[in-house]
Amino acid sequence: QIAADLLIYVPVVWWPVFYSFKSFCEGEELRRGMARYQQNFVIDNAAQTAMWLPGDIIVFAVPAWLRLPTSHFLGFLWSCLLSWMRGQPMNASSVCE
């Protein structure tokens, strides 16, 4: 389940949606967002795997009552890391401000 998430879902669905939405919010063409995705493919997926492979193992290792809070905490950390990595707009005008 973890392998399918990190090796199939994230590279094929999650990152393209992220870059599509980011390019839309910045008022860019979808093509430009996908070009940025291709440029950052290795670094983005390495960061995602470095965060979520141990994170998912931890989530499944804790007691059932602690899984949801642990998952949400790790999701918050991932959002912080993602914002730090890819949060700067590529241009000054932004549609989603």
Side-chain angles (χ1 to χ4, degrees):
Q1 185 177 2
I2 294 172
D5 181 48
L6 294 175
L7 299 175
I8 298 169
Y9 171 73
V10 170
V12 174
V13 177
W14 198 93
W15 283 115
V17 169
F18 170 78
Y19 278 102
S20 297
F21 189 73
K22 185 169 172 32
S23 66
F24 171 76
C25 285
E26 293 177 0
E28 297 176 350
E29 294 181 6
L30 178 63
R31 218 176 325 150
R32 180 129 188 217
M34 290 298 100
R36 220 176 307 137
Y37 167 59
Q38 289 176 344
Q39 179 183 357
N40 298 329
F41 182 85
V42 173
I43 294 170
D44 288 346
N45 283 294
Q48 180 90 2
T49 302
M51 171 71 188
W52 284 108
L53 182 61
D56 283 341
I57 291 170
I58 291 168
V59 167
F60 289 118
V62 299
W65 62 270
L66 195 54
R67 287 183 185 166
L68 196 57
T70 304
S71 178
H72 287 306
F73 176 72
L74 291 171
F76 173 74
L77 290 179
W78 171 247
S79 295
C80 291
L81 178 63
L82 184 60
S83 179
W84 178 73
M85 287 174 46
R86 303 286 176 236
Q88 295 178 339
M90 296 303 284
N91 60 31
S93 65
S94 183
V95 175
C96 294
E97 287 186 301

